[in-house]
Amino acid sequence: MSAALASWLHAFRIYTHPRVLGMLSLGFSAGLPLLLVMGTLSFWLREAGIDRSTIGHLSWIGLAYGFKWMWSPLVDRLPLPLLTRLLGRRRAWLLLSQVAIALALVGIATTDPLENLTHMVFFALAVAFASATQDIALDAYRIEAVAPRLQGAMAATYQAGYRLAMILASAGALWIAAAADLSEATYEYAPWRIAYLTMAACMAVGIVTTLIIREPEVPITRLISENEDRARKTIAHWHLNSKLEQLFAWLYGAMIAPFRDFIVRHGGQALLILALIAVYRISDVVMGVMSNPFYVDMGYTKDEVATVSKVYGVIMTIVGAAIGGVLTAKIGIMRTLFLGAVLSAATNLLFVWLTGRGHDITGLIFTISADNLSGGIASSAFIAYLSGLTNSAYSATQYALFSSVMLLLPKFIAGFSGDFVDAYGYASFFTGTALLGLPVLILVWLAGRAKFEAAESSARLE
């Protein structure tokens, strides 16, 4: 065996690290709830006869992920009674959120939208809120659990588990519902109940893993200590009692310091960066809300959508992410961001082409494959870009801020997607989502130029 081959084989041993292996299951737990309150649920609702406008408005449930920055400092710092003492800070929040997701999925499963849509919306909101909380705790655990040299492996196994869960939550749920459905011609509630109860049971994967893994030991960083000491000295001049002083110092360190750090580090470019984050995935997110109702209206069955849209789509997303990783290393993050934005917007036009072809499986395979390949490239570059913006001292809170900003505007606009389709049709809708990508290209170019100028300025100072 050559020395080079032996070196590569030794490098792959990092995937046998217990915490790296554990991220496969935790990634699965994180990926399972998302589509169950988004894509798969929209398929169920449309099959039940819920109008497209209502389905579009219900996509605002996903805004819970967009507002998670508001409670991320609490998840980052606030201990839970009993659970934190028994499990530790990260595992306590993980377990609480995972159990809440499972119970809320049971609530969805036991609710027929035709009889009580309001109750289903309540349970879906509970799933989204608990899932966003799990994401906050899991991001913090992932960053803290291992040394920097293992972070790449942690991210890789997390993505693998996440994508497997997406297949199960989309294709798997549709297959289960289809297998239990005696007649595809009419809507039946029972098959969907079975499918969602099965999904709730699958959350046991994450719950068991959380009970097995060890809590990471993370010392308070020098930056955090200095910030909180400075805050205490300022608060001391307010002449409050000691408990109030401690509370205000804690609030500063948990809720103000992470955001202040981002603004101080990036200065005048902070707003440009946040604007780019806010709109980068807008074409995909807005289009995605109406994709499943589109498949239903075009006459595709649950089995066809499960096989083509989900399996092919997830596989091509993984391939696209791998290509995006290589491109990021070869041509840089900003160029890959620009390419990903172009491809994401352009592939939406394939759906316009598909609307004129009727029930065409081959056309569906081509469209879904191209769309998810471009999405994988864009996602890979975008994650690299966000990671470069994060300060390790406040990684959990700042990452929650970035991922929240990423979803707020797209999710809000997506809520009107059903109204737009009802008024103008699918072809105009998909064309419109492609045009939404044009401002993204301008912002990527401006951010890239600002980054280049900052690098030049830094080089001159040196």
Side-chain angles (χ1 to χ4, degrees), residues 359-390:
H359 187 273
D360 181 2
I361 295 297
T362 302
L364 183 65
I365 291 174
F366 176 74
T367 300
I368 293 300
S369 297
D371 182 64
N372 283 272
L373 181 70
S374 66
I377 293 172
S379 294
S380 183
F382 197 47
I383 290 172
Y385 180 65
L386 295 183
S387 299
L389 297 174
T390 303

PDB file of all heavy atoms in Angstrom, residues 359-390:
ATOM      1  N   HIS A 359     -48.848  15.484 -17.829  1.00  0.00           N
ATOM      2  CA  HIS A 359     -48.337  14.413 -16.968  1.00  0.00           C
ATOM      3  C   HIS A 359     -47.163  13.735 -17.680  1.00  0.00           C
ATOM      4  O   HIS A 359     -47.332  12.768 -18.424  1.00  0.00           O
ATOM      5  CB  HIS A 359     -49.459  13.416 -16.669  1.00  0.00           C
ATOM      6  CG  HIS A 359     -49.075  12.374 -15.654  1.00  0.00           C
ATOM      7  ND1 HIS A 359     -48.450  11.206 -15.998  1.00  0.00           N
ATOM      8  CD2 HIS A 359     -49.231  12.340 -14.308  1.00  0.00           C
ATOM      9  CE1 HIS A 359     -48.233  10.483 -14.915  1.00  0.00           C
ATOM     10  NE2 HIS A 359     -48.716  11.152 -13.869  1.00  0.00           N
ATOM     11  N   ASP A 360     -45.956  14.230 -17.436  1.00  0.00           N
ATOM     12  CA  ASP A 360     -44.752  13.758 -18.138  1.00  0.00           C
ATOM     13  C   ASP A 360     -43.698  13.371 -17.105  1.00  0.00           C
ATOM     14  O   ASP A 360     -43.025  14.224 -16.532  1.00  0.00           O
ATOM     15  CB  ASP A 360     -44.229  14.863 -19.061  1.00  0.00           C
ATOM     16  CG  ASP A 360     -42.985  14.444 -19.840  1.00  0.00           C
ATOM     17  OD1 ASP A 360     -42.550  13.294 -19.702  1.00  0.00           O
ATOM     18  OD2 ASP A 360     -42.446  15.286 -20.579  1.00  0.00           O
ATOM     19  N   ILE A 361     -43.531  12.068 -16.842  1.00  0.00           N
ATOM     20  CA  ILE A 361     -42.581  11.588 -15.835  1.00  0.00           C
ATOM     21  C   ILE A 361     -41.147  11.938 -16.218  1.00  0.00           C
ATOM     22  O   ILE A 361     -40.352  12.375 -15.376  1.00  0.00           O
ATOM     23  CB  ILE A 361     -42.720  10.068 -15.630  1.00  0.00           C
ATOM     24  CG1 ILE A 361     -44.098   9.741 -15.046  1.00  0.00           C
ATOM     25  CG2 ILE A 361     -41.627   9.554 -14.687  1.00  0.00           C
ATOM     26  CD1 ILE A 361     -44.343  10.313 -13.682  1.00  0.00           C
ATOM     27  N   THR A 362     -40.802  11.766 -17.499  1.00  0.00           N
ATOM     28  CA  THR A 362     -39.441  12.072 -17.944  1.00  0.00           C
ATOM     29  C   THR A 362     -39.129  13.549 -17.742  1.00  0.00           C
ATOM     30  O   THR A 362     -38.050  13.918 -17.264  1.00  0.00           O
ATOM     31  CB  THR A 362     -39.258  11.709 -19.425  1.00  0.00           C
ATOM     32  OG1 THR A 362     -39.554  10.322 -19.608  1.00  0.00           O
ATOM     33  CG2 THR A 362     -37.832  11.999 -19.886  1.00  0.00           C
ATOM     34  N   GLY A 363     -40.081  14.414 -18.099  1.00  0.00           N
ATOM     35  CA  GLY A 363     -39.897  15.845 -17.889  1.00  0.00           C
ATOM     36  C   GLY A 363     -39.767  16.195 -16.414  1.00  0.00           C
ATOM     37  O   GLY A 363     -38.975  17.064 -16.036  1.00  0.00           O
ATOM     38  N   LEU A 364     -40.533  15.498 -15.567  1.00  0.00           N
ATOM     39  CA  LEU A 364     -40.465  15.740 -14.135  1.00  0.00           C
ATOM     40  C   LEU A 364     -39.095  15.351 -13.586  1.00  0.00           C
ATOM     41  O   LEU A 364     -38.503  16.079 -12.779  1.00  0.00           O
ATOM     42  CB  LEU A 364     -41.565  14.953 -13.422  1.00  0.00           C
ATOM     43  CG  LEU A 364     -41.666  15.160 -11.901  1.00  0.00           C
ATOM     44  CD1 LEU A 364     -42.067  16.596 -11.582  1.00  0.00           C
ATOM     45  CD2 LEU A 364     -42.653  14.177 -11.284  1.00  0.00           C
ATOM     46  N   ILE A 365     -38.580  14.199 -14.030  1.00  0.00           N
ATOM     47  CA  ILE A 365     -37.261  13.752 -13.579  1.00  0.00           C
ATOM     48  C   ILE A 365     -36.197  14.786 -13.950  1.00  0.00           C
ATOM     49  O   ILE A 365     -35.352  15.162 -13.124  1.00  0.00           O
ATOM     50  CB  ILE A 365     -36.914  12.382 -14.192  1.00  0.00           C
ATOM     51  CG1 ILE A 365     -37.819  11.291 -13.602  1.00  0.00           C
ATOM     52  CG2 ILE A 365     -35.437  12.039 -13.949  1.00  0.00           C
ATOM     53  CD1 ILE A 365     -37.636   9.935 -14.264  1.00  0.00           C
ATOM     54  N   PHE A 366     -36.231  15.247 -15.203  1.00  0.00           N
ATOM     55  CA  PHE A 366     -35.234  16.212 -15.655  1.00  0.00           C
ATOM     56  C   PHE A 366     -35.331  17.524 -14.875  1.00  0.00           C
ATOM     57  O   PHE A 366     -34.317  18.075 -14.428  1.00  0.00           O
ATOM     58  CB  PHE A 366     -35.420  16.481 -17.155  1.00  0.00           C
ATOM     59  CG  PHE A 366     -34.490  17.534 -17.696  1.00  0.00           C
ATOM     60  CD1 PHE A 366     -33.153  17.260 -17.891  1.00  0.00           C
ATOM     61  CD2 PHE A 366     -34.971  18.800 -17.994  1.00  0.00           C
ATOM     62  CE1 PHE A 366     -32.288  18.235 -18.376  1.00  0.00           C
ATOM     63  CE2 PHE A 366     -34.128  19.783 -18.482  1.00  0.00           C
ATOM     64  CZ  PHE A 366     -32.779  19.494 -18.678  1.00  0.00           C
ATOM     65  N   THR A 367     -36.546  18.018 -14.700  1.00  0.00           N
ATOM     66  CA  THR A 367     -36.743  19.300 -14.019  1.00  0.00           C
ATOM     67  C   THR A 367     -36.309  19.239 -12.563  1.00  0.00           C
ATOM     68  O   THR A 367     -35.574  20.109 -12.067  1.00  0.00           O
ATOM     69  CB  THR A 367     -38.225  19.725 -14.106  1.00  0.00           C
ATOM     70  OG1 THR A 367     -38.588  19.858 -15.477  1.00  0.00           O
ATOM     71  CG2 THR A 367     -38.458  21.039 -13.383  1.00  0.00           C
ATOM     72  N   ILE A 368     -36.762  18.190 -11.850  1.00  0.00           N
ATOM     73  CA  ILE A 368     -36.432  18.051 -10.441  1.00  0.00           C
ATOM     74  C   ILE A 368     -34.935  17.836 -10.252  1.00  0.00           C
ATOM     75  O   ILE A 368     -34.316  18.397  -9.329  1.00  0.00           O
ATOM     76  CB  ILE A 368     -37.219  16.886  -9.818  1.00  0.00           C
ATOM     77  CG1 ILE A 368     -38.715  17.226  -9.791  1.00  0.00           C
ATOM     78  CG2 ILE A 368     -36.729  16.580  -8.405  1.00  0.00           C
ATOM     79  CD1 ILE A 368     -39.050  18.459  -8.993  1.00  0.00           C
ATOM     80  N   SER A 369     -34.322  17.041 -11.118  1.00  0.00           N
ATOM     81  CA  SER A 369     -32.884  16.777 -10.999  1.00  0.00           C
ATOM     82  C   SER A 369     -32.081  18.052 -11.180  1.00  0.00           C
ATOM     83  O   SER A 369     -31.175  18.356 -10.391  1.00  0.00           O
ATOM     84  CB  SER A 369     -32.454  15.732 -12.039  1.00  0.00           C
ATOM     85  OG  SER A 369     -33.088  14.494 -11.809  1.00  0.00           O
ATOM     86  N   ALA A 370     -32.415  18.832 -12.205  1.00  0.00           N
ATOM     87  CA  ALA A 370     -31.685  20.080 -12.461  1.00  0.00           C
ATOM     88  C   ALA A 370     -31.895  21.074 -11.334  1.00  0.00           C
ATOM     89  O   ALA A 370     -30.945  21.745 -10.881  1.00  0.00           O
ATOM     90  CB  ALA A 370     -32.130  20.674 -13.793  1.00  0.00           C
ATOM     91  N   ASP A 371     -33.127  21.180 -10.855  1.00  0.00           N
ATOM     92  CA  ASP A 371     -33.436  22.139  -9.800  1.00  0.00           C
ATOM     93  C   ASP A 371     -32.691  21.810  -8.513  1.00  0.00           C
ATOM     94  O   ASP A 371     -32.130  22.705  -7.860  1.00  0.00           O
ATOM     95  CB  ASP A 371     -34.948  22.158  -9.556  1.00  0.00           C
ATOM     96  CG  ASP A 371     -35.346  23.165  -8.490  1.00  0.00           C
ATOM     97  OD1 ASP A 371     -35.140  24.367  -8.720  1.00  0.00           O
ATOM     98  OD2 ASP A 371     -35.849  22.746  -7.438  1.00  0.00           O
ATOM     99  N   ASN A 372     -32.656  20.544  -8.140  1.00  0.00           N
ATOM    100  CA  ASN A 372     -31.993  20.163  -6.900  1.00  0.00           C
ATOM    101  C   ASN A 372     -30.472  20.161  -7.030  1.00  0.00           C
ATOM    102  O   ASN A 372     -29.766  20.405  -6.050  1.00  0.00           O
ATOM    103  CB  ASN A 372     -32.493  18.795  -6.436  1.00  0.00           C
ATOM    104  CG  ASN A 372     -33.869  18.877  -5.796  1.00  0.00           C
ATOM    105  OD1 ASN A 372     -34.000  19.104  -4.601  1.00  0.00           O
ATOM    106  ND2 ASN A 372     -34.907  18.705  -6.606  1.00  0.00           N
ATOM    107  N   LEU A 373     -29.953  19.887  -8.209  1.00  0.00           N
ATOM    108  CA  LEU A 373     -28.510  19.988  -8.429  1.00  0.00           C
ATOM    109  C   LEU A 373     -28.054  21.433  -8.210  1.00  0.00           C
ATOM    110  O   LEU A 373     -27.064  21.685  -7.509  1.00  0.00           O
ATOM    111  CB  LEU A 373     -28.160  19.531  -9.841  1.00  0.00           C
ATOM    112  CG  LEU A 373     -26.668  19.555 -10.201  1.00  0.00           C
ATOM    113  CD1 LEU A 373     -25.917  18.477  -9.439  1.00  0.00           C
ATOM    114  CD2 LEU A 373     -26.476  19.368 -11.703  1.00  0.00           C
ATOM    115  N   SER A 374     -28.770  22.381  -8.802  1.00  0.00           N
ATOM    116  CA  SER A 374     -28.421  23.795  -8.630  1.00  0.00           C
ATOM    117  C   SER A 374     -28.590  24.221  -7.181  1.00  0.00           C
ATOM    118  O   SER A 374     -27.777  24.983  -6.639  1.00  0.00           O
ATOM    119  CB  SER A 374     -29.277  24.664  -9.546  1.00  0.00           C
ATOM    120  OG  SER A 374     -30.645  24.613  -9.174  1.00  0.00           O
ATOM    121  N   GLY A 375     -29.650  23.726  -6.515  1.00  0.00           N
ATOM    122  CA  GLY A 375     -29.862  24.053  -5.112  1.00  0.00           C
ATOM    123  C   GLY A 375     -28.749  23.536  -4.225  1.00  0.00           C
ATOM    124  O   GLY A 375     -28.357  24.197  -3.255  1.00  0.00           O
ATOM    125  N   GLY A 376     -28.226  22.348  -4.541  1.00  0.00           N
ATOM    126  CA  GLY A 376     -27.115  21.793  -3.773  1.00  0.00           C
ATOM    127  C   GLY A 376     -25.860  22.632  -3.900  1.00  0.00           C
ATOM    128  O   GLY A 376     -25.138  22.868  -2.918  1.00  0.00           O
ATOM    129  N   ILE A 377     -25.567  23.090  -5.112  1.00  0.00           N
ATOM    130  CA  ILE A 377     -24.401  23.950  -5.335  1.00  0.00           C
ATOM    131  C   ILE A 377     -24.548  25.250  -4.546  1.00  0.00           C
ATOM    132  O   ILE A 377     -23.619  25.701  -3.854  1.00  0.00           O
ATOM    133  CB  ILE A 377     -24.232  24.253  -6.838  1.00  0.00           C
ATOM    134  CG1 ILE A 377     -23.869  22.966  -7.589  1.00  0.00           C
ATOM    135  CG2 ILE A 377     -23.169  25.320  -7.065  1.00  0.00           C
ATOM    136  CD1 ILE A 377     -23.864  23.117  -9.101  1.00  0.00           C
ATOM    137  N   ALA A 378     -25.734  25.865  -4.644  1.00  0.00           N
ATOM    138  CA  ALA A 378     -25.968  27.130  -3.942  1.00  0.00           C
ATOM    139  C   ALA A 378     -25.884  26.946  -2.425  1.00  0.00           C
ATOM    140  O   ALA A 378     -25.286  27.780  -1.723  1.00  0.00           O
ATOM    141  CB  ALA A 378     -27.337  27.682  -4.333  1.00  0.00           C
ATOM    142  N   SER A 379     -26.451  25.865  -1.904  1.00  0.00           N
ATOM    143  CA  SER A 379     -26.447  25.633  -0.457  1.00  0.00           C
ATOM    144  C   SER A 379     -25.038  25.432   0.073  1.00  0.00           C
ATOM    145  O   SER A 379     -24.683  25.944   1.138  1.00  0.00           O
ATOM    146  CB  SER A 379     -27.305  24.412  -0.117  1.00  0.00           C
ATOM    147  OG  SER A 379     -28.656  24.645  -0.415  1.00  0.00           O
ATOM    148  N   SER A 380     -24.232  24.678  -0.657  1.00  0.00           N
ATOM    149  CA  SER A 380     -22.858  24.418  -0.224  1.00  0.00           C
ATOM    150  C   SER A 380     -22.076  25.712  -0.101  1.00  0.00           C
ATOM    151  O   SER A 380     -21.392  25.959   0.897  1.00  0.00           O
ATOM    152  CB  SER A 380     -22.177  23.478  -1.218  1.00  0.00           C
ATOM    153  OG  SER A 380     -20.871  23.156  -0.791  1.00  0.00           O
ATOM    154  N   ALA A 381     -22.186  26.566  -1.116  1.00  0.00           N
ATOM    155  CA  ALA A 381     -21.481  27.849  -1.075  1.00  0.00           C
ATOM    156  C   ALA A 381     -22.033  28.753   0.016  1.00  0.00           C
ATOM    157  O   ALA A 381     -21.281  29.465   0.704  1.00  0.00           O
ATOM    158  CB  ALA A 381     -21.580  28.535  -2.436  1.00  0.00           C
ATOM    159  N   PHE A 382     -23.344  28.719   0.216  1.00  0.00           N
ATOM    160  CA  PHE A 382     -23.978  29.602   1.195  1.00  0.00           C
ATOM    161  C   PHE A 382     -23.587  29.225   2.619  1.00  0.00           C
ATOM    162  O   PHE A 382     -23.326  30.098   3.460  1.00  0.00           O
ATOM    163  CB  PHE A 382     -25.493  29.535   1.014  1.00  0.00           C
ATOM    164  CG  PHE A 382     -26.228  30.676   1.660  1.00  0.00           C
ATOM    165  CD1 PHE A 382     -25.812  31.980   1.484  1.00  0.00           C
ATOM    166  CD2 PHE A 382     -27.359  30.442   2.427  1.00  0.00           C
ATOM    167  CE1 PHE A 382     -26.501  33.041   2.068  1.00  0.00           C
ATOM    168  CE2 PHE A 382     -28.052  31.484   3.017  1.00  0.00           C
ATOM    169  CZ  PHE A 382     -27.618  32.794   2.840  1.00  0.00           C
ATOM    170  N   ILE A 383     -23.534  27.929   2.914  1.00  0.00           N
ATOM    171  CA  ILE A 383     -23.119  27.475   4.247  1.00  0.00           C
ATOM    172  C   ILE A 383     -21.676  27.896   4.515  1.00  0.00           C
ATOM    173  O   ILE A 383     -21.331  28.338   5.615  1.00  0.00           O
ATOM    174  CB  ILE A 383     -23.279  25.953   4.374  1.00  0.00           C
ATOM    175  CG1 ILE A 383     -24.768  25.580   4.412  1.00  0.00           C
ATOM    176  CG2 ILE A 383     -22.595  25.436   5.635  1.00  0.00           C
ATOM    177  CD1 ILE A 383     -25.027  24.095   4.337  1.00  0.00           C
ATOM    178  N   ALA A 384     -20.808  27.756   3.500  1.00  0.00           N
ATOM    179  CA  ALA A 384     -19.415  28.188   3.649  1.00  0.00           C
ATOM    180  C   ALA A 384     -19.342  29.688   3.916  1.00  0.00           C
ATOM    181  O   ALA A 384     -18.543  30.149   4.738  1.00  0.00           O
ATOM    182  CB  ALA A 384     -18.625  27.828   2.396  1.00  0.00           C
ATOM    183  N   TYR A 385     -20.181  30.455   3.219  1.00  0.00           N
ATOM    184  CA  TYR A 385     -20.198  31.905   3.401  1.00  0.00           C
ATOM    185  C   TYR A 385     -20.648  32.271   4.821  1.00  0.00           C
ATOM    186  O   TYR A 385     -20.015  33.097   5.492  1.00  0.00           O
ATOM    187  CB  TYR A 385     -21.143  32.528   2.364  1.00  0.00           C
ATOM    188  CG  TYR A 385     -21.258  34.033   2.444  1.00  0.00           C
ATOM    189  CD1 TYR A 385     -20.173  34.849   2.171  1.00  0.00           C
ATOM    190  CD2 TYR A 385     -22.474  34.629   2.790  1.00  0.00           C
ATOM    191  CE1 TYR A 385     -20.286  36.238   2.240  1.00  0.00           C
ATOM    192  CE2 TYR A 385     -22.591  36.014   2.856  1.00  0.00           C
ATOM    193  CZ  TYR A 385     -21.496  36.810   2.586  1.00  0.00           C
ATOM    194  OH  TYR A 385     -21.604  38.177   2.655  1.00  0.00           O
ATOM    195  N   LEU A 386     -21.731  31.651   5.301  1.00  0.00           N
ATOM    196  CA  LEU A 386     -22.226  31.931   6.646  1.00  0.00           C
ATOM    197  C   LEU A 386     -21.216  31.528   7.713  1.00  0.00           C
ATOM    198  O   LEU A 386     -21.045  32.233   8.715  1.00  0.00           O
ATOM    199  CB  LEU A 386     -23.547  31.195   6.892  1.00  0.00           C
ATOM    200  CG  LEU A 386     -24.749  31.615   6.047  1.00  0.00           C
ATOM    201  CD1 LEU A 386     -25.986  30.832   6.474  1.00  0.00           C
ATOM    202  CD2 LEU A 386     -25.006  33.107   6.155  1.00  0.00           C
ATOM    203  N   SER A 387     -20.547  30.396   7.508  1.00  0.00           N
ATOM    204  CA  SER A 387     -19.562  29.930   8.482  1.00  0.00           C
ATOM    205  C   SER A 387     -18.418  30.931   8.610  1.00  0.00           C
ATOM    206  O   SER A 387     -17.893  31.154   9.709  1.00  0.00           O
ATOM    207  CB  SER A 387     -19.004  28.564   8.062  1.00  0.00           C
ATOM    208  OG  SER A 387     -20.041  27.602   8.014  1.00  0.00           O
ATOM    209  N   GLY A 388     -18.032  31.543   7.487  1.00  0.00           N
ATOM    210  CA  GLY A 388     -16.962  32.522   7.522  1.00  0.00           C
ATOM    211  C   GLY A 388     -17.341  33.810   8.225  1.00  0.00           C
ATOM    212  O   GLY A 388     -16.474  34.567   8.665  1.00  0.00           O
ATOM    213  N   LEU A 389     -18.634  34.087   8.345  1.00  0.00           N
ATOM    214  CA  LEU A 389     -19.106  35.304   9.010  1.00  0.00           C
ATOM    215  C   LEU A 389     -19.214  35.147  10.521  1.00  0.00           C
ATOM    216  O   LEU A 389     -19.317  36.127  11.245  1.00  0.00           O
ATOM    217  CB  LEU A 389     -20.489  35.697   8.470  1.00  0.00           C
ATOM    218  CG  LEU A 389     -20.591  36.064   6.992  1.00  0.00           C
ATOM    219  CD1 LEU A 389     -22.060  36.270   6.613  1.00  0.00           C
ATOM    220  CD2 LEU A 389     -19.780  37.309   6.681  1.00  0.00           C
ATOM    221  N   THR A 390     -19.200  33.908  11.003  1.00  0.00           N
ATOM    222  CA  THR A 390     -19.501  33.627  12.413  1.00  0.00           C
ATOM    223  C   THR A 390     -18.264  33.747  13.286  1.00  0.00           C
ATOM    224  O   THR A 390     -17.192  33.252  12.944  1.00  0.00           O
ATOM    225  CB  THR A 390     -20.080  32.206  12.554  1.00  0.00           C
ATOM    226  OG1 THR A 390     -21.235  32.091  11.732  1.00  0.00           O
ATOM    227  CG2 THR A 390     -20.472  31.926  13.991  1.00  0.00           C
TER     228      THR A 390
END
